[in-house]
Amino acid sequence: MAKYVYLFHEGGAEMRSLLGGKGANLAEMTKIGLPVPPGMTISTEACREYYESGQQLPDGLAEEIKRNLVTLEKNVGKELGNVDNPLLISVRSGAVFSMPGMMDTILNLGLNEQTVKSMARLTGNLCFAYDSYRRFIQMFSDVVLEIPKHDFEHILSKEKERQGVTYDQELSADALRSLIDQFKSLVKERLGRPFPEDPMEQLFMAVEAVFRSWNNDRAIIYRNLNKIDHNLGTAVNIQSMVFGNMGDDSGTGVAFTRNPSTGENVLYGEYLTNAQGEDVVAGIRTPRPIAKLAEEMPAVYQQFSTIARTLEKHYKNLQDIEFTVEKGKLYMLQTRNGKRTAQAGIRIAHDLAMEGLISKNDALLLIEAAQLDHLLHRQIDSEAKLTVLAKGLPASPGAASGQVVFDSDEAERLGKSGQKVLLVRTETTPDDIHGIVAAQGILTSRGGMTSHAAVVARGMGKPCVCGCEAIKIDYAKQEFSVDGTVVKAGDLVSIDGAAGRVILGNVPMKDPVLSKEYLTLLSWADDVRRLQVRANADTPEDALKAREFGAAGVGLCRTEHMFMGQERLPHVQQMILAETTEERLEALQALLPMQESDFYGILKAMAGYPVCIRLLDPPLHEFLPSLEELLVETATLRATGQEPERLRSRELLLRKVRALHEFNPMLGHRGCRLGISFPEIYEMQIQAICNAAARLSKEGVQVLPEIEVPLTIDKSEMVFFKEKIDRIAQETMQQYGVTFHYTSGTMIELPRAALLADELAEVSDFFSFGTNDLTQTTLGFSRDDAEGKFLSDYLNLKILKDNPFITLDRRGVGQLMQIAVEKGRRVRPDLLIGICGEHGGEANSVQFCHEIGLDFVSCSPYRVPIARLAAAQAAISTGESYGTR
Ligand code: ADP
Ligand code: MG
Ligand code: MG
């Protein structure tokens, strides 16, 4: 007989996949002796079986729950439904991966007309008993009976209005009693039957509702967004209640062991006295900072901070803790690894290692490589003059500007059409996820640092200001006002999430300053990684930026950008229009010095490091005006009859554009096919590279050019070009009277090249995988068409798990890469192999590149730090870190 139910003392942190995160950690905290209200966890396996059997509770589960409930009741000395001594419980969902705010908890289950009286008698507190009961009805009706929360909140605010009070806890016993009755008649009206009175029935309905909630819309959206498997299922935690709403010596709170926004090593959180459960995060009352607890309940604070330390030491990570104080006694209700900003993530990993809690390698593994991206975001220029409208809580750092939008659907719509929006709400709920995703930043007028908006924004690395009570939002008028200033939907507003400022209009930004912890961690990463990290750079400025970020060379220098610009384009067009080789050579001669000065600058900026220069790649028509443009212009010129000279030249161009038209440019006359048809173009480029290398060598600068031929499919292409490269290099060295080191090789970006890599290796010093084209040609997807038209269908239907242009397709494209590496190295063991293009800066792909033995990855300068860290993580996780740690 399968075991589905585990009492807290039977579990532990290692049972996470069976008990869910919440259950496993409740068990772990119980095991290490912390004050956790007793309870039990129904496993995720039970949930999976529930779905497999067409939404039926698995056989034997009901009996098992009842049996364990008896043990629980003995343990706490109370009984579910017992009039003398009623046990109240919470029913909490808890998946393997924490899904904030996705599945709601039911508190105070076990209350009915009888037990509510017992609770009042036992506590001598009628208000408390009624308050607990009305909360229970509200939560149960929402989660289990699926009657909209909103309807109950409406009744509640009407009642508060009638009583002339602002806060829930000011309601009198009579008012609460009346609320309960109103709630119950609403249920009866909607359901056609009364609210369930039998506690056991309540319990089983609740358990099944938790299983069902695994597949509610919000949960599905969240899982899709975070790539969480839909088949994992959720566990259910049944736990005896403790009450934070028993008066001013009671309360409830949430705290992080360190500041999740900055990483500073101080307890960070908030609490509310005389409150229960979600009150802290729901933004109903603005909670107090945890430091105040030291004044209000010093003993409790002491105990709490000791427990926080214990938990951090135990889990070796930042903890996010929920607690409740019942009449001066502290209870732990949850702990989990805390979400944090990128900035805090760095500082915490660094500090934990320095405090000796973890090793340096563990510190590196603690950081999410992709998160480093956020650190490189721009900040508001501190010199700038700003019109600060208001100040709220600094909930998630970074600066954002956008047009004000009050509605998440609208935010999504505008965001999709490429507009920058700032989502402004009184508070957010899980129903706003899509709006938050689409927005540059989030501004709320209510809620604390642990409110939904704040938590979600920090997780996504989006700037957020919350609890900004000075702004008065009027959804109906689509505007908010601050001290007489009215801001309408569509107006530009900026927020500064690090300082909590709300600013009118756009703001000037500047590049971020990187912390010393950040630099230290990256130096630890450099110590253990094997992969070299280079950057893609097309200009001397980019090359310098790349050096700043720690790139050890240029992995891809695209020369086509050097064919653009007002000064050059006329020569390029003349070259394309040339009818004879002589004419073409003339145009190329004009381009030569310009190209040479480009290469000179880049090679100089990268002195001592390799620079891989790719010969011209795009089809020639990309350098000509578009067909439409020319048609309009020639028609106009013809109609006016003026400027006959220009008309003739435009007509010539038009003819050329028509001649160069391609049905499928991606597979057309591009790459080294240009060099085959027009060798003089490639010769000019090779000459420019060699001239620059020779001049710099003469000046004593060490240069390491790598001349790269794009889009090859066959060894004979390489033979054709290699002859030219070697000849021109030799001639140039002789002419300048210097020698310089150079190599020649090819990009592997077509399946045929990968399959014939052994032959190509005979005439190549290096390979560089161009995985964008290799993905296009392996899948037969043209990227723009795929991403613009059908790729989202593939992702939605889960035919493909990830966008292959973002995360390398290991099974297909990766297999071709593996073949190329293996065949290439068989022929030439010292073959240098790298990857250039976007995948080179994506953590998962970097991991793969490490695994198949590449020498370097190359990515945009801003992603170099990510690649450095990802390369270190790959080395550590495959157990082959190269340093001493
Ligand atoms: P979530 O995952 O949304 O945080 P939880 O299950 O943690 O949901 O519970 C919601 C709120 O109810 C939290 O504030 C939690 O501390 C509180 N809570 C849960 N179980 C109990 C309990 N047995 N006694 C008192 N408060 C509880
Ligand atoms: Mg919740
Ligand atoms: Mg919780």
Side-chain angles (χ1 to χ4, degrees), residues 450-665:
T450 48
S451 64
H452 179 266
V455 171
V456 174
R458 280 200 293 273
M460 292 184 188
K462 293 206 176 195
C464 174
V465 172
C466 62
C468 185
E469 296 186 5
I471 68 169
K472 304 283 174 248
I473 300 175
D474 188 332
Y475 286 132
K477 284 195 184 149
Q478 288 283 292
E479 64 181 41
F480 72 78
S481 59
V482 200
D483 295 336
T485 308
V486 175
V487 177
K488 297 207 164 294
D491 289 355
L492 262 183
V493 165
S494 305
I495 55 170
D496 172 2
R501 293 182 298 178
V502 182
I503 302 147
L504 196 62
N506 242 325
V507 292
M509 312 246 193
K510 67 171 190 201
D511 286 337
V513 199
L514 297 172
S515 69
K516 96 178 173 297
E517 289 88 0
Y518 171 92
L519 297 171
T520 307
L521 273 162
L522 278 181
S523 78
W524 296 350
D526 293 344
D527 287 346
V528 297
R529 68 185 159 88
R530 179 182 56 75
L531 277 172
Q532 294 275 338
V533 177
R534 298 193 190 181
N536 300 343
D538 304 338
T539 62
E541 296 77 56
D542 279 358
L544 285 173
K545 179 118 257 153
R547 285 292 304 129
E548 254 173 62
F549 285 123
V554 169
L556 175 64
C557 171
R558 302 176 179 89
T559 54
E560 55 266 27
H561 295 178
M562 302 168 184
F563 279 45
M564 304 289 187
Q566 287 196 339
E567 191 196 345
R568 301 176 179 200
L569 210 50
H571 299 293
V572 174
Q573 295 188 347
Q574 190 194 339
M575 167 192 94
I576 297 171
L577 292 171
E579 299 287 334
T580 63
T581 310
E582 286 75 50
E583 269 178 52
R584 187 166 310 111
L585 281 173
E586 196 184 307
L588 286 168
Q589 276 314 308
L591 284 169
L592 177 69
M594 300 176 196
Q595 285 258 279
E596 185 181 320
S597 76
D598 293 326
F599 297 138
Y600 180 90
I602 292 174
L603 288 168
K604 191 167 180 177
M606 278 287 161
Y609 292 99
V611 178
C612 185
I613 302 168
R614 179 177 73 183
L615 301 176
L616 194 64
D617 183 59
L620 294 179
H621 51 75
E622 285 197 7
F623 301 101
L624 300 180
S626 76
L627 185 65
E628 290 77 14
E629 199 180 306
L630 285 169
L631 282 173
V632 172
E633 195 182 344
T634 47
T636 320
L637 286 171
R638 227 174 278 130
T640 58
Q642 283 159 357
E643 297 187 81
E645 266 309 300
R646 183 168 174 86
L647 176 61
R648 205 159 315 126
S649 81
R650 292 275 110 177
E651 277 175 344
L652 203 66
L653 207 52
L654 180 61
R655 213 167 321 143
K656 194 75 192 179
V657 168
R658 282 214 166 104
L660 288 177
H661 171 77
E662 290 182 317
F663 294 102
N664 193 340

Side-chain angles (χ1 to χ4, degrees), residues 24 70 273 344 352 413 560-561 650 816:
V70 173
T273 42
L352 288 176
R413 199 181 60 72
E560 55 266 27
H561 295 178
R650 292 275 110 177
L816 283 167

Side-chain angles (χ1 to χ4, degrees), residues 22 92 322 334:
K22 199 180 282 170
R92 321 168 66 184
E322 289 173 12
Q334 190 173 345

